[in-house]
Amino acid sequence: MPKLRLDKFLKDQGIAVRSEAKSLIKKGLVSVNDIIVKDPGIHVNTEEDIIKVRGVQIDYRQFVYYMLNKPKGVITATQDKKLKTVLDLFPEEIRRRGVFPVGRLDKDTEGLLLITNDGAFAHNLLSPKKGVKKLYEAVLDSYPGEEAIKKFEEGIYIGDNYTALPAKLEYISKDPVRALVEIYEGKFHQVKRMFKAVGAAVVELKRLRMGDVWLDESLKPGEFRELTNEELLKLSVSNHSSDKLI
Ligand code: URA
C-alpha cells in the first residue's frame, strides 16, 4: 500500500516545508477522511485517503514534469549563491517538490529544458545508451561550408580525446549563417565544440527539441508549463533514429 507520513505527504505536494506542514497539522488545519488529525507522524494511504488542508482536498501526485523555455543568462543548476538558476524561475511550491533540470544548457543557451522530480525519467533521457536525439538551432559567425555536413555525419573530433557521434547538420540561412544540428549525446559544450572543429563560432544557440518533444513556441523565455500526457509518453519511449531533422 502506498503509505506516507502526513507531514511528508504535504511537503511532497508542495503545500509547505516539513516544519510548516507539522505546524499546520498541529493547529488542526488538516483532515484525513474528514477527521481532523493532529499527529504529523500518522501514515496516510496516498491512493485511498482523502487529505484536506483548510477544507481543500489535496490530490496526490508523486512526480511532476515541466517544459521550460530557458532564457539566456541563467545557469542550469538547482541553486547558486550568486547566479540566477533555472529553478529560480519556478515558484516555491514547485521547487519544494524537489525538482531539478534534466541535463544542462549553457548559461548563454536558450530553449527547451525539462524540469522534473522523477529521477528515473531523467536518467533514462540522459543515458548515453538511449542516445535520445536533441535538436538545436545555431547562429554562427561564419559559414563552415558544405563539407561540414559530411564531417558531422562521420563524427567529428572535438578535442579532449573525444570524437563526437555522427550528427546531422543542415543550413537554414546564409546571412546570418543559421543551422540546425541534431545530436544524440550531450557532452560539455558539445555543439559549440563541433562547430569550432569546422572553424565557426556559435553566436547563439537554442534547443528546439528533445526526443520527439518540441519546445512550445508560445512559451516566452523564462516561462514554463507542465508536459502533456502525450509529450510524456513520447519522452518515455524516446528513440534514437530519425531520418530528417524536422
Ligand atoms: N551544446 C552546447 O555547446 N551548449 C549547450 O548549451 C548545449 C549543447
Side-chain angles (χ1 to χ4, degrees):
M1 256 195 303
K3 289 221 160 196
L4 209 57
R5 272 180 67 112
L6 183 57
D7 53 359
K8 180 155 177 14
F9 174 98
L10 296 179
K11 178 197 158 279
D12 288 354
Q13 298 317 294
I15 305 300
V17 296
R18 195 85 171 244
S19 54
E20 285 167 10
K22 282 192 173 118
S23 118
L24 283 174
I25 297 164
K26 285 182 184 158
K27 280 184 194 152
L29 297 171
V30 180
S31 65
V32 179
N33 302 325
D34 289 325
I35 297 165
I36 297 286
V37 289
K38 293 204 170 173
D39 175 5
I42 67 149
H43 284 73
V44 291
N45 181 324
T46 55
E47 280 175 8
E48 289 168 10
D49 291 332
I50 294 174
I51 321 295
K52 291 182 185 167
V53 177
R54 293 193 176 93
V56 177
Q57 186 169 334
I58 311 298
D59 290 329
Y60 181 74
R61 278 173 69 202
Q62 189 177 6
F63 296 124
V64 288
Y65 307 89
Y66 297 94
M67 161 189 297
L68 167 71
N69 184 357
K70 178 194 172 294
K72 291 177 193 163
V74 299
I75 61 166
T76 309
T78 47
Q79 56 184 35
D80 191 272
K81 287 210 173 80
K82 290 193 195 122
L83 301 170
K84 188 167 177 178
T85 75
V86 287
L87 288 196
D88 291 332
L89 299 164
F90 285 76
E92 184 58 33
E93 62 268 25
I94 294 179
R95 290 205 307 252
R96 249 186 240 132
R97 285 171 156 267
V99 292
F100 56 87
V102 179
R104 72 183 290 284
L105 292 176
D106 296 338
K107 189 176 172 196
D108 58 355
T109 301
E110 57 181 339
L112 176 60
L113 186 66
L114 301 175
I115 306 283
T116 185
N117 56 355
D118 184 344
F121 170 83
H123 178 78
N124 196 39
L125 283 172
L126 297 175
S127 158
K129 279 197 216 115
K130 296 275 157 81
V132 170
K133 63 193 177 192
K134 290 137 208 139
L135 182 71
Y136 292 87
E137 182 176 330
V139 177
L140 308 177
D141 71 337
S142 58
Y143 177 58
E146 293 298 306
E147 37 319 339
I149 296 178
K150 187 141 182 292
K151 287 185 184 160
F152 274 36
E153 230 169 57
E154 287 166 358
I156 195 162
Y157 180 72
I158 57 172
D160 291 339
N161 270 329
Y162 190 74
T163 300
L165 290 175
K168 291 175 192 161
L169 168 62
E170 181 183 316
Y171 297 111
I172 48 175
S173 80
K174 286 212 167 149
D175 188 18
V177 183
R178 237 175 238 284
L180 292 175
V181 196
E182 190 173 81
I183 61 174
Y184 307 92
E185 55 191 338
K187 297 276 181 271
F188 184 62
H189 287 169
Q190 172 138 4
V191 173
K192 291 172 184 163
R193 285 159 70 197
M194 288 169 75
F195 278 113
K196 193 170 172 217
V198 291
V202 171
V203 181
E204 277 178 39
L205 192 61
K206 180 174 181 179
R207 181 151 68 193
L208 301 179
R209 196 184 65 202
M210 202 158 166
D212 285 319
V213 170
W214 289 87
L215 172 67
D216 180 339
E217 291 287 350
S218 72
L219 293 175
K220 296 194 188 81
E223 289 183 348
F224 63 88
R225 68 155 169 79
E226 284 199 56
L227 289 179
T228 63
N229 286 337
E230 196 188 342
E231 286 166 338
L232 266 177
L233 198 64
K234 282 181 179 168
L235 289 168
S236 57
V237 293
S238 265
N239 58 44
H240 181 139
S241 59
S242 84
D243 296 330
K244 285 198 238 136
L245 285 191
I246 38 180

